[in-house]
Amino acid sequence: MTSTLDYRTIIDAVAQRRNISPNQLAALLSTNDTEAVKILFEAAHAEANRVYGNKVFMRGLIEISNHCKKDCLYCGIRRSQVGVRRYRLTSEEILDCCEQGYALGFRTFVLQGGEDGWFDDDRMCDIVSEIRRAYPSCAITLSLGERPRESYQRLFDAGANRYLLRHETADPQHYALLHPAEMSFDHRQQCLRDLWEIGFQVGCGFMVGSPFQTVQTLYEDLQLIRRLRPEMVGIGPFIPASGTPFAECPAGSVDTTLRLLAIIRLLHPVVLLPATTALGTLHPEGRELGILAGANVVMPNLSPRSCRSLYSIYDNKLSSGSEAAETASDIRCRLSELGADAAPDRGDPALAR
Ligand code: 5AD
């Protein structure tokens, strides 16, 4: 029997050493001791407050295309998924989204999309330069999957500052179970290194409760985060997408996601950590709970209304209500009820590398 006091000792040790052992991780993920879990969340929330004050950063998410040449087994917009109405935004539409976002107070634009060959380097660099020229004080974040190093370099030179590329899993064997044979674990890791070396603020991340995930693979994920020291980490529960090979797999747990958010905050205090849409999809207060467990970023959707339901990487993805950027003021209210202040600034990492 482990007592609440023992868990407190584990949590203190994790926070102090900024490291966790496989046994400590297993203990924190499996305990039914609600008091212990509360201590974990409070420690992580306090750590976020220590580093970033009570600020929560808002990013405007623009889903520029749901075309994808990749075939990740879990994803609802994978290449071989039938019945998806595919769309891509024009440059004008993307710039309109930025304009609306700027007026709503957003100072970071996140351009996210499937791996769509239409958005080659010339097109993408034009769009990035336009945004950079129109909004010199804003951060531009890209999330466009794997590209050659030269491509990342050109996008960086065009004015992009940040790049999100979830590593998906730090275990090569697990990676192979989630992806088709043509995709490579090593290549994905190489992309993250390239982005880092070029000077992007980098975000990695993974799904919680993805098929075949174990405490050991999660342990590897946490060690990867400790090694890479990314500026951002995106995690959210796995949610099955109908029509994919994993359609019948169970969804990841909200509670485990919250515990992992808290552990990541303790291991890497300066990280920018979103309370993701997937968390909000599985629980009506998922995002608020995420903030109370150490997250400090929210990413409301700025995409045109007509496209939002088409970017269906999993079933029932939130795309209206507080997910819609129009309700930015609503999000601000909900955050202020938690004592958090939705910050209207770029929200750069607290520590330069
Ligand atoms: N459930 C939850 N997250 C998913 N992603 C893709 N498919 C799903 C799903 N079914 C995540 C992946 C990807 C990011 C854009 O969304 O981690 O990197």
Side-chain angles (χ1 to χ4, degrees), residues 41-347:
F41 292 167
E42 283 170 1
H45 187 51
E47 193 66 346
N49 275 303
R50 183 181 66 77
V51 181
Y52 287 100
N54 65 345
K55 283 186 176 182
V56 171
F57 302 106
M58 309 246 289
R59 323 290 202 199
L61 180 64
I62 308 173
E63 290 158 342
I64 66 170
S65 170
N66 71 352
H67 290 260
C68 194
K69 60 184 172 219
K70 290 282 168 68
D71 217 17
C72 308
L73 273 58
Y74 43 81
C75 184
I77 60 168
R78 63 202 293 261
R79 175 182 75 217
S80 56
Q81 182 86 336
V82 288
V84 182
R85 187 148 67 81
R86 305 280 174 174
Y87 75 92
R88 60 173 68 93
L89 302 185
T90 62
S91 313
E92 292 70 36
E93 286 172 316
I94 296 171
L95 283 156
D96 282 351
C97 292
C98 294
E99 192 180 323
Q100 285 168 29
Y102 192 86
L104 286 164
F106 290 94
R107 295 296 176 265
T108 292
F109 305 119
V110 183
L111 274 50
Q112 183 162 77
E115 294 195 20
D116 179 358
W118 166 264
F119 286 109
D120 59 12
D121 293 345
D122 288 345
R123 288 205 176 93
M124 223 36 245
C125 286
D126 282 351
I127 294 167
V128 170
S129 325
E130 267 301 298
I131 302 176
R132 173 54 58 236
R133 197 189 53 72
Y135 307 101
S137 63
C138 292
I140 303 173
T141 305
L142 301 177
S143 177
L144 304 169
E146 297 176 29
R147 300 172 80 100
R149 184 180 175 123
E150 303 70 49
S151 170
Y152 289 148
Q153 184 70 57
R154 283 191 59 189
L155 294 165
F156 184 78
D157 295 340
N161 316 92
R162 307 180 182 146
Y163 204 103
L164 308 178
L165 184 74
R166 289 188 175 181
H167 64 282
E168 309 299 357
T169 170
D171 176 308
Q173 270 125 38
H174 185 211
Y175 189 92
L177 294 170
L178 298 178
H179 299 96
E182 78 229 19
M183 285 180 69
S184 142
F185 173 85
D186 290 335
H187 187 254
R188 200 149 185 103
Q189 298 281 320
Q190 185 59 47
C191 286
L192 282 165
R193 279 193 295 274
D194 288 343
L195 290 161
W196 197 88
E197 283 169 17
I198 288 167
F200 279 101
Q201 294 172 19
V202 175
C204 68
F206 56 90
M207 295 176 287
V208 177
S210 63
F212 313 109
Q213 186 174 65
T214 62
V215 174
Q216 184 60 33
T217 63
L218 286 169
Y219 173 74
E220 301 297 337
D221 289 321
L222 298 177
Q223 293 304 324
L224 183 141
I225 291 168
R226 292 187 64 246
R227 269 199 315 277
L228 186 69
R229 314 211 127 275
E231 280 77 11
M232 302 158 294
V233 173
I235 69 164
F238 163 74
I239 304 176
S242 15
T244 64
F246 296 151
E248 305 305 325
C249 294
S253 124
V254 169
D255 181 50
T256 306
T257 305
L258 295 171
R259 294 184 197 196
L260 282 163
L261 282 171
I263 292 167
I264 292 169
R265 169 65 61 202
L266 295 179
L267 294 179
H268 186 23
V270 296
V271 74
L272 289 154
L273 195 60
T276 52
T277 304
L279 196 55
T281 297
L282 284 192
H283 191 294
E285 270 144 36
R287 253 175 323 220
E288 286 82 352
L289 294 169
I291 302 298
L292 294 175
N296 65 339
V297 172
V298 289
M299 299 170 67
N301 201 318
L302 275 181
S303 311
R305 287 199 159 275
S306 57
C307 301
R308 283 187 198 161
S309 62
L310 300 177
Y311 201 84
S312 47
I313 52 179
Y314 46 79
D315 292 350
N316 306 316
K317 181 167 156 273
L318 265 199
S319 61
S320 58
S322 59
E323 189 50 35
E326 291 83 346
T327 53
S329 60
D330 177 55
I331 296 189
R332 284 199 185 91
C333 274
R334 288 171 70 168
L335 290 174
S336 73
E337 279 165 25
L338 308 178
D341 177 21
D345 54 21
R346 279 170 49 125

